[in-house]
Amino acid sequence: MKKIEKILAVIAFTSIILSMNHVPFGGVISVLSFTILALLYMYLSFALFNEIPFTRILKKEAYLNSTKLQIFGTVLTGMFLSFSLIGMLFKLQLYPMADINLLTGILGLLIAAIVSIIKYSIGKDKFYVDILKRIILIGVFGLLFTITPKESILEIRHRKHPEYVEAVKKAWADPDNQALWKKVEEESLKIYNE
């Protein structure tokens, strides 16, 4: 399962560049890879972090080396990693609610990092180092996405279409104005008809 996690992470973070540069299917690759990685963390973090093989997830003896507190902590950490990844995906795709997902995920990861550091300093257990590596990687990217305004992502993604960028910015400033959204739609059609 760790190999799958690493492959998905590489694809997800590489897809950021693909998506920002309008590489064909870059957006699809980023949506799929971020979503699958987020689902992996959300539903299988307890097994992934405790190094339980997928074939033994339902066997009670697979959990003998893990405490209930460790399993609970890995489930929570997986949830916060998942929130962060979904927040990054939403921000990259300019979807609503990106910042709420990112902030929830990052705050949870901060707490998980503090607990991992304390637990590691007490017991020197490699388990906490492995979790901390994931927290740092996703937390740093999450923080970068949090401090990057959505307008900047819009400008980078559509740098060749300034009319579209301006139309979207005006529509974001006055979201109830249907005429502005109509203009966004018109500019969008111009992009895809090229």
Side-chain angles (χ1 to χ4, degrees):
M1 231 179 338
K2 277 191 173 188
K3 286 183 182 180
I4 293 171
E5 176 196 19
K6 287 179 183 178
I7 291 168
L8 284 171
V10 168
I11 292 170
F13 291 109
T14 304
S15 72
I16 294 170
I17 297 166
L18 299 176
S19 182
M20 295 296 258
N21 288 305
H22 287 285
V23 172
F25 302 107
V28 173
I29 293 169
S30 65
V31 169
L32 287 175
S33 58
F34 271 94
T35 302
I36 293 169
L37 189 58
L39 288 171
L40 178 72
Y41 285 137
M42 179 65 83
Y43 296 110
L44 295 174
S45 60
F46 65 93
L48 181 66
F49 298 161
N50 289 296
E51 296 183 2
I52 297 168
F54 186 73
T55 56
R56 299 193 54 201
I57 286 178
L58 299 176
K59 296 185 179 171
K60 191 173 183 176
E61 62 270 5
Y63 299 94
L64 294 176
N65 294 333
S66 304
T67 66
K68 289 180 182 178
L69 195 57
Q70 274 184 331
I71 292 172
F72 179 71
T74 56
V75 168
L76 284 179
T77 303
M79 283 177 41
F80 293 126
L81 289 168
S82 183
F83 287 152
S84 298
L85 287 166
I86 294 298
M88 284 186 262
L89 173 64
F90 280 22
K91 190 85 169 234
L92 183 64
Q93 297 296 324
L94 302 171
Y95 297 158
M97 306 296 285
D99 290 328
I100 292 172
N101 280 315
L102 278 167
L103 289 175
T104 303
I106 289 172
L107 289 175
L109 290 178
L110 181 63
I111 294 167
I114 292 168
V115 170
S116 294
I117 290 168
I118 292 170
K119 289 289 216 173
Y120 178 75
S121 65
I122 292 170
K124 304 292 185 213
D125 190 352
K126 181 185 172 294
F127 170 81
Y128 296 104
V129 173
D130 289 342
I131 289 177
L132 204 52
K133 287 177 186 176
R134 292 174 176 99
I135 291 171
I136 290 170
L137 176 69
I138 293 175
V140 166
F141 273 97
L143 190 60
L144 289 173
F145 271 88
T146 302
I147 62 175
T148 304
K150 66 181 180 179
E151 291 81 5
S152 296
I153 293 174
L154 175 71
E155 289 169 359
I156 292 168
R157 287 188 69 186
H158 298 285
R159 59 191 168 274
K160 295 179 182 175
H161 307 284
E163 300 86 12
Y164 176 75
V165 171
E166 286 307 310
V168 172
K169 284 182 181 179
K170 287 177 183 175
W172 282 347
D174 186 9
D176 295 329
N177 189 334
Q178 293 302 314
L180 293 175
W181 288 109
K182 182 80 171 153
K183 178 69 173 164
V184 169
E185 189 177 330
E186 290 170 8
E187 292 298 330
S188 177
L189 289 173
K190 289 179 188 175
I191 293 172
Y192 295 109
N193 287 334
E194 287 182 352

